[in-house]
């Protein structure tokens, strides 16, 4: 099976702009989770989607949002970008049925906000 | 907030030596997973140990879990230069949700 894919891999934006990142899970996986990784805060959970519904959400402002489509692909959007949003954004997929399965991560999207 | 805390923050060893990393966490868990990350790339899943398991092996990896102490350790035996990476423990605490809470990681450097 193909692994988790994320597009784009690199992105440069300026403050105030918005950005949309995409994640395609492993075929058959219905859960997609998003994480932000920064040197200061480490890996932090953003949100999880399962069957097109947000099932869990981390402690991030409302500027961070996401959605999941019927084919389980997911997008996350960050509006009104701030310098502190510069990070590696990782998505992970799992079957999602029991919530106890291994999560498989994509290569990440590195976002730089200038 | 960080659930897991890895120790040490950084570890430098020679090829062939064993590397041990520890992880402590705060709340009851469903399972604990270890991941490897090379140079800020994606995370590679190494091993998952469930809360009712005490030890698990996978190739050169050995993971232990002590739920009474809320701690886990990852042992890499006979390390290789290719093992150079950051290692993270992650805990899953909410039944039914696929949510991981990560520690800050241990940076492992294996010198030839």
């Amino acid at each position: 099976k193909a692994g988790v894919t994320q597009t784009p891999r690199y992105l440069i934006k300026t403050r105030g702009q918005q950005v949309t990142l995409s994640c395609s899970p492993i075929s058959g996986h219905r859960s997609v989770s998003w994480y932000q990784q920064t040197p200061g805060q480490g890996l932090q959970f953003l949100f999880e989607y399962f069957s097109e519904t947000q099932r869990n959400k981390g402690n991030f402002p409302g500027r961070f949002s996401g959605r999941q489509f019927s084919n389980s692909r997911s997008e996350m959007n960050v509006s009104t970008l701030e310098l502190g949003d510069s990070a590696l954004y990782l998505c992970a997929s799992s079957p999602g049925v029991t919530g106890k399965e291994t999560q498989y991560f994509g290569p990440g999207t590195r976002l730089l906000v200038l | 907030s960080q659930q897991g805390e890895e120790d040490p923050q950084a570890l430098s060893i020679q090829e062939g030596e064993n590397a041990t990393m520890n992880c402590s966490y705060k709340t009851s868990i469903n399972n604990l997973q270890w991941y490897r990350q090379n140079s800020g790339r994606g995370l590679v899943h190494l091993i998952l140990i469930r809360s009712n398991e005490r030890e698990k092996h996978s190739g050169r990896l050995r993971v232990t879990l002590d739920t009474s102490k809320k701690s886990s350790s990852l042992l890499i035996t006979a390390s290789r230069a290719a093992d150079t990476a950051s290692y993270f423990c992650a805990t899953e605490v909410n039944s039914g949700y696929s949510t991981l809470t990560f520690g800050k990681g241990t940076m492992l450097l294996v010198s030839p």
Side-chain angles (χ1 to χ4, degrees):
Chain A
K1 283 184 180 179
V4 178
T5 59
Q6 292 186 246
T7 56
R9 293 293 309 279
Y10 302 93
L11 206 48
I12 300 176
K13 291 284 191 178
T14 55
R15 278 183 301 173
Q17 288 187 312
Q18 74 164 19
V19 67
T20 299
L21 312 181
S22 180
C23 173
S24 292
I26 291 171
S27 178
H29 285 189
R30 294 161 63 190
S31 168
V32 174
S33 299
W34 288 89
Y35 296 84
Q36 180 197 64
Q37 186 178 28
T38 60
Q41 298 299 317
L43 278 150
Q44 293 188 293
F45 169 73
L46 280 156
F47 28 65
E48 185 227 355
Y49 286 86
F50 177 77
S51 292
E52 302 179 66
T53 301
Q54 187 180 86
R55 192 161 64 170
N56 203 4
K57 187 178 189 302
N59 189 26
F60 276 81
R63 299 185 299 107
F64 292 82
S65 63
R67 59 178 175 168
Q68 187 179 35
F69 302 95
S70 58
N71 62 357
S72 293
R73 189 177 70 85
S74 177
E75 289 181 347
M76 68 162 281
N77 184 276
V78 187
S79 62
T80 319
L81 284 165
E82 301 177 359
L83 296 179
D85 297 333
S86 294
L88 180 66
Y89 290 87
L90 295 160
C91 80
S93 79
S94 70
V97 177
T98 67
K100 297 179 182 179
E101 310 99 347
T102 297
Q103 291 193 36
Y104 296 91
F105 282 78
T109 293
R110 188 166 294 279
L111 171 65
L112 177 61
V113 181
L114 302 175
Chain B
S1 63
Q2 301 294 335
Q3 159 78 317
E5 294 291 335
E6 286 92 340
D7 173 64
Q9 289 188 337
L11 180 60
S12 181
I13 58 175
Q14 299 289 122
E15 264 191 331
E17 294 180 337
N18 294 341
T20 299
M21 288 159 265
N22 301 297
C23 168
S24 60
Y25 56 91
K26 298 174 184 173
T27 63
S28 296
I29 60 172
N30 289 329
N31 64 63
L32 185 145
Q33 304 180 39
W34 284 91
Y35 286 85
R36 184 186 75 225
Q37 185 178 40
N38 292 84
S39 302
R41 296 178 186 173
L43 295 163
V44 175
H45 182 262
L46 297 176
I47 199 164
L48 179 154
I49 186 165
R50 302 192 190 286
S51 58
N52 61 353
E53 297 176 312
R54 291 296 167 259
E55 188 171 312
K56 211 161 180 181
H57 296 256
S58 177
R60 293 184 295 112
L61 306 179
R62 172 179 171 255
V63 168
T64 62
L65 179 64
D66 187 335
T67 52
S68 66
K69 295 182 179 178
K70 292 187 170 58
S71 67
S72 173
S73 68
L74 170 68
L75 168 67
I76 304 174
T77 60
S79 62
R80 306 165 182 168
D83 295 328
T84 294
S86 291
Y87 292 81
F88 296 88
C89 70
T91 53
E92 192 166 73
V93 300
N94 291 319
S95 181
Y97 295 161
S98 300
T99 302
L100 294 175
T101 305
F102 285 86
K104 292 213 168 186
T106 292
M107 291 181 59
L108 174 65
L109 173 63
V110 183
S111 302

